[in-house]
């Protein structure tokens, strides 16, 4: 037998891990710097680590109260009803929840190109079809209402990423409002704020009070440093928030994830330090890297280096892992995650050497 026709589906290729690369190159993993997956430079919140240790003894029970407590904490943080918080197994899991709630077979969605690969994957898993809007490099990947509306054709979900991965560009609240206004009443405008903590500009949260057709995506993977526990959520308008109960898997976030999330939410020091250091690193990379870079509101910087695959590979041989953006359709660009001061300075020095050699 065979599964259903999956020929339109693509396989997600994550940035490679340190152990994997170190083993292959015969390097010491402790000597390597990984700035390829936009992970937190300081690791997880120490309070979250402690919470996971403490909750290890409770792993035999379903995460009933921790799930409810986390939803409650997030609802209060966002001044929303608990029903409006849709927890998922990572932001990716929350994207699945939204696709499951919204898409009928054959419904179309609109995703950015270049952009985050999982939007299209999730839509296809849920029998959706995928169209793209283009962010133009010639225009510095500007994200305006017009960027999206010129390619909009009645899709059921429009995915916006602000700050955008991998370019770092943002949408203004006004642009999102215009997109929501100009698209059909039955079109959901999803604003992915996976990097929202790192941006100076405010969340698009106020739009959820104005409209029924805008939702947000947030994650614990980036600023909170919990990519490994898989915890994220959608914040949806009150009007249809009760749909979650009908499409959700029972306990979509684990006991460990919920405990870690609760602890991380209370760890302002960790988040503040991560956000401040990312702001410093963005500037540093911008100023010191021997390549053109784009302004970024996230914890990463996109840089134009010529042959990205060659630069990324040569840097990796020197123990610095960055993201070759060929898979985003940008074979001349790398994406460098903001590291600690030490790691960022080291990475930029290595990259500058490598860029010079590859260009020569
Ligand atoms: C990292 C990321 C997410 C969410 O990742 P999870 O680890 O699944 O929470 C969502 N959108 C973008 C653009 C991202 O870069």
């Amino acid at each position: 037998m065979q599964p259903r026709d999956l020929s339109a589906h693509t396989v997600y290729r994550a940035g490679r891990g340190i152990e994997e690369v170190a083993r292959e190159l015969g390097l010491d993993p402790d000597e390597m710097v990984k700035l390829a997956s936009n992970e937190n430079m300081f690791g997880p919140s120490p309070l979250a680590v402690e919470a996971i240790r403490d909750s290890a003894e409770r792993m035999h029970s379903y995460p009933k109260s921790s799930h409810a407590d986390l939803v409650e904490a997030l609802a209060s943080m966002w001044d929303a009803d608990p029903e409006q918080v849709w927890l998922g197994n990572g932001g990716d899991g929350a994207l699945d929840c939204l696709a499951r709630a919204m898409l009928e077979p054959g419904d179309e969605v609109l995703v950015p190109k270049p952009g985050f690969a999982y939007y299209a994957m999730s839509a296809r898993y849920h029998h959706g079809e995928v169209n793209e809007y283009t962010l133009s490099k010639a225009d510095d990947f500007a994200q305006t209402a017009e960027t999206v509306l010129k390619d909009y054709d009645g899709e059921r979900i429009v995915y916006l990423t602000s700050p955008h991965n991998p370019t770092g560009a943002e949408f203004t609240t006004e642009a999102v409002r215009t997109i929501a206004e100009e698209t059909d009443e039955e079109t959901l405008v999803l604003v992915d704020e996976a990097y929202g903590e790192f941006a100076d500009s405010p969340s698009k949260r106020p739009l959820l009070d104005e409209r029924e057709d805008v939702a947000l995506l947030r994650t614990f993977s980036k600023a909170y440093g919990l990519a490994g526990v898989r915890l994220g959520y959608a914040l949806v308008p009150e009007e249809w928030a009760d749909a979650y109960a009908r499409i959700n898997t029972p306990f979509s976030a684990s006991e460990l994830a919920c405990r870690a999330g609760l602890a991380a939410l209370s760890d302002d020091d960790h988040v503040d330090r991560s956000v401040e250091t990312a702001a410093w690193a963005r500037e540093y990379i911008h100023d010191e890297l021997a390549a053109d870079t784009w302004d970024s509101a996230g914890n990463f910087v996109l840089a134009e280096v010529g042959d990205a695959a060659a630069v990324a590979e040569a840097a990796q041989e020197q123990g610095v892992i960055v993201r070759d953006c060929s898979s985003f359709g940008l074979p001349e660009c790398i994406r460098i995650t903001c590291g600690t001061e030490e790691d960022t300075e080291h990475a930029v020095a290595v990259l500058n050497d490598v860029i010079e050699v590859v260009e020569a």
Side-chain angles (χ1 to χ4, degrees):
M1 65 168 281
Q2 288 292 319
R4 67 185 169 100
D5 180 9
L6 299 173
S7 54
H9 291 229
T10 46
V11 177
Y12 183 76
R13 307 228 178 264
R16 299 169 74 213
I18 286 198
E19 282 78 16
E20 192 187 345
V21 174
R23 207 177 302 134
E24 186 183 301
L25 297 174
L27 300 171
D28 176 356
D30 292 338
E31 309 263 284
M32 301 199 68
V33 174
K34 184 186 171 203
L35 300 176
S37 299
N38 298 344
E39 291 151 337
N40 191 301
M41 71 278 279
F42 296 120
S45 146
L47 297 186
V49 173
E50 204 180 302
I52 286 187
R53 280 212 187 93
D54 290 347
S55 59
E57 304 284 340
R58 284 194 300 272
M59 269 192 288
H60 61 292
S61 55
Y62 285 109
K64 191 132 196 322
S65 59
S66 60
H67 205 278
D69 290 352
L70 179 57
V71 165
E72 196 70 48
L74 289 167
S76 129
M77 177 174 137
W78 288 105
D79 190 19
D81 192 87
E83 257 190 354
Q84 293 176 258
V85 178
W86 291 21
L87 286 188
N89 184 48
D92 298 344
L95 287 171
D96 283 343
C97 288
L98 287 166
R100 219 182 290 155
M102 288 295 153
L103 299 181
E104 299 280 2
D107 277 356
E108 299 182 7
V109 306
L110 191 63
V111 308
K113 179 187 165 59
F116 186 58
Y118 196 69
Y119 305 143
M121 294 168 67
S122 173
R124 290 194 179 106
Y125 294 160
H126 297 88
H127 306 274
E129 318 242 329
V130 180
N131 303 325
E132 294 174 328
Y133 62 93
T134 306
L135 306 181
S136 152
K137 189 174 162 205
D139 223 1
D140 286 331
F141 306 106
Q143 300 205 108
T144 64
E146 177 56 22
T147 312
V148 178
L149 292 173
K150 70 179 169 13
D151 290 322
Y152 170 75
D153 189 22
E155 284 84 356
R156 178 69 157 136
I157 307 177
V158 174
Y159 295 87
L160 310 179
T161 322
S162 189
H164 179 268
N165 175 11
T167 68
E170 295 180 273
F171 281 99
T172 62
T173 301
E174 197 45 48
V176 177
R177 185 182 285 116
T178 303
I179 292 166
E181 254 162 33
E182 299 286 318
T183 50
D184 295 349
E185 210 171 292
E186 294 303 317
T187 293
L188 172 67
V189 176
L190 175 68
V191 189
D192 178 350
E193 298 186 334
Y195 300 97
E197 292 85 358
F198 297 105
D200 292 330
S201 51
S203 164
K204 310 300 187 268
R205 162 72 183 91
L207 294 178
L208 272 70
D209 291 334
E210 285 173 31
R211 317 189 52 95
E212 298 178 17
D213 56 356
V214 175
L216 302 184
L217 185 79
R218 306 283 300 204
T219 179
F220 284 86
S221 292
K222 310 285 162 53
Y224 293 99
L226 297 179
V229 310
R230 314 303 304 126
L231 183 64
Y233 57 98
L235 198 68
V236 311
E238 218 173 342
E239 287 76 7
W240 46 273
D242 60 350
Y244 182 61
R246 297 170 190 274
I247 52 91
N248 179 29
T249 49
F251 310 110
S252 51
S254 76
E255 171 73 14
L256 297 187
C258 292
R259 293 286 168 203
L262 272 166
L265 278 185
S266 70
D267 196 347
D268 290 339
D269 287 349
H270 178 263
V271 177
D272 291 349
R273 189 165 161 242
S274 307
V275 168
E276 279 162 26
T277 307
W280 169 85
R282 286 191 306 238
E283 279 309 301
Y284 184 85
I285 295 168
H286 199 63
D287 292 345
E288 302 296 329
L289 190 74
D292 286 338
T293 57
W294 282 268
D295 284 337
S296 171
N299 67 336
F300 53 86
V301 174
L302 186 73
E304 176 149 23
V305 295
D307 183 344
V311 167
E313 194 183 329
Q316 188 165 286
E317 280 163 16
Q318 308 290 320
V320 172
I321 312 176
V322 295
R323 180 72 185 251
D324 160 16
C325 290
S326 298
S327 68
F328 287 103
L330 299 169
E332 65 288 3
C333 294
I334 57 170
R335 189 192 64 198
I336 308 155
T337 301
C338 296
T340 59
E341 277 190 37
E342 189 190 347
D343 286 353
T344 304
E345 286 171 3
H346 174 64
V348 167
V350 166
L351 283 166
N352 283 348
D353 286 347
V354 160
I355 289 167
E356 199 177 298
V357 172
V358 170
E359 272 178 356

